[in-house]
Amino acid sequence: MAITSKESIIDYSLRNLGHPVIQINVDYHQCEDRLEEALQYFAERHFDGVERAYFKYQLTQTDIDNGYVNTSTLGPTNGPGGDGPTGNDILSIVKLFQFGMFSSVDMFDIRYQLALTDYFGINRGLGGSPSMGLASYDTAKRYIKLIQDFFQPEKAITFSKVTNRVHIVGRKADMVVGQYIVLEAFVLLDPEKYTEIYNDRLLKKYLTALIKRQWGANMAKYDGVQLPGGITLKGAAIYQEAQVELQAIELEMLTAYELPVDFMVG
C-alpha cells in the first residue's frame, strides 16, 4: 500500500520497529519532529526533494536602493493565484539571467542576421564560397558571446535562505525601475501537495532510523535496569544501532541521490 501522508509514514516506521508487538517508547510529537528532520535532509540531499524553477521579477526603486531583492515576494512561478512554488520555497539560487542592453532579443538583431546569412550555408556554402560547416558557425557564436560578456558581463549574486535576500553585485546605474530580472533557483517540494515523497524508499528508511535513535535516547536513562522476567533495558545499544544505520543511509543518499556539484569554468 502506497504511503501518502504524514500519519501513514510514521505508522509505517513504528511498525518497522516492532509496533504493536513491541512497545516503542517514543511520543508521537517526537515522531513528527523526526519526520520534519528527515524531510529537511531529503530536500537538501535528494534530487527528488527539489526542482528547478525560474522566477520573474520587476525591479522597484526600493530594490535598487537596497541592492537586493526580497525573495519572499517572488512567485508563484505559474502566475498570480497559481499553486506553483513561491520565493518562500527557494532553497538556493544558482543564476541571475543577464539583463540590460545586450540581453534584449530583437527580431533583427545580430543573431537573426547570422542565422539568416549563414545557417543554410553551413554545409553547402553560399554563392559557391567554401564552408567550414558547423565549426565556423560555432566560432562566430562564441565570438558574439565573448563581446557580450566583455561589455556587459553577467551580474554576480549572493543569496542566503536565512535572510531571504538575493544581493545583486554591480552598479546601480545598470538597474532600472520596471526592468524585469529572471532568477534560476532550486525550490523545495511540498510533501503535502506532492504526497509521493512520503513513499520514497530512502525517506522511509531514514525516518525509521531517526525514530529508532529517538527511542534509544529515551530509554538510555534506564540503561541496565532489569525488568521482571529477567529482561534488561539497553537503550544505549538501540541508539548506537540507529546511529550506524543513519550513517549508512546518509552515505547512500550523498553518493547515489544527491545532485552533482556544478563545475566551475574560468
Side-chain angles (χ1 to χ4, degrees):
M1 182 177 64
I3 295 173
T4 57
S5 68
K6 176 179 70 174
E7 294 76 17
S8 60
I9 191 174
I10 291 176
D11 290 342
Y12 169 88
S13 297
L14 292 174
R15 290 195 304 271
N16 240 1
L17 293 173
H19 180 79
V21 179
I22 300 174
Q23 182 179 356
I24 310 300
N25 303 96
V26 180
D27 181 72
Y28 192 80
H29 292 298
Q30 290 180 316
C31 293
E32 291 180 318
D33 291 340
R34 300 293 75 77
L35 176 57
E36 289 298 319
E37 185 179 339
L39 287 171
Q40 183 178 9
Y41 188 83
F42 182 80
E44 292 176 352
R45 299 298 182 183
H46 198 295
F47 61 80
D48 275 339
V50 296
E51 69 175 352
R52 194 184 302 266
Y54 298 90
F55 292 90
K56 179 182 70 173
Y57 180 76
Q58 195 171 18
L59 292 174
T60 66
Q61 187 61 52
T62 302
D63 301 325
I64 297 173
D65 293 339
N66 292 335
Y68 65 82
V69 173
N70 187 343
T71 56
S72 61
T73 63
L74 301 179
T77 55
N78 56 359
D83 60 351
T86 68
N88 292 320
D89 300 315
I90 292 178
L91 182 64
S92 64
I93 295 178
V94 296
K95 183 178 181 180
L96 169 65
F97 281 86
Q98 194 172 41
F99 61 90
M101 180 179 62
F102 281 91
S103 64
S104 61
V105 179
D106 185 82
M107 179 177 178
F108 302 106
D109 70 356
I110 182 63
R111 286 162 287 192
Y112 171 83
Q113 298 298 329
L114 179 64
L116 179 66
T117 57
D118 289 349
Y119 183 77
F120 294 105
I122 285 176
N123 292 317
R124 299 193 306 266
L126 288 176
S129 61
S131 172
M132 295 178 61
L134 285 172
S136 60
Y137 186 76
D138 179 68
T139 302
K141 293 283 287 184
R142 289 174 184 269
Y143 184 67
I144 293 172
K145 183 66 167 62
L146 176 63
I147 295 174
Q148 182 180 6
D149 291 340
F150 184 82
F151 287 102
Q152 186 176 299
E154 292 187 6
K155 306 292 188 299
I157 58 172
T158 59
F159 172 75
S160 171
K161 176 62 180 172
V162 177
T163 62
N164 288 323
R165 295 175 179 178
V166 54
H167 290 264
I168 303 175
V169 181
R171 301 185 310 161
K172 290 186 177 182
D174 294 335
M175 293 176 278
V176 181
V177 175
Q179 187 175 46
Y180 279 96
I181 61 173
V182 177
L183 296 166
E184 180 181 350
F186 282 100
V187 295
L188 302 173
L189 294 178
D190 184 1
E192 298 303 316
K193 186 183 303 180
Y194 307 103
T195 56
E196 290 183 8
I197 291 177
Y198 288 123
N199 203 38
D200 183 85
R201 178 182 65 88
L202 277 183
L203 180 63
K204 291 186 290 187
K205 289 178 61 177
Y206 196 64
L207 176 60
T208 301
L210 285 175
I211 294 177
K212 183 177 181 178
R213 187 175 67 178
Q214 182 68 64
W215 180 22
N218 291 348
M219 299 298 294
K221 63 185 294 186
Y222 304 110
D223 211 36
V225 175
Q226 192 169 16
L227 300 178
I231 299 175
T232 302
L233 298 179
K234 295 184 179 180
I238 296 175
Y239 186 95
Q240 290 301 324
E241 288 178 11
Q243 193 69 17
V244 172
E245 293 171 7
L246 285 170
Q247 290 174 354
I249 297 169
E250 289 176 356
L251 180 61
E252 182 181 0
M253 193 93 75
L254 294 175
T255 56
Y257 293 92
E258 187 176 22
L259 288 171
V261 177
D262 291 335
F263 289 102
M264 295 185 65
V265 179

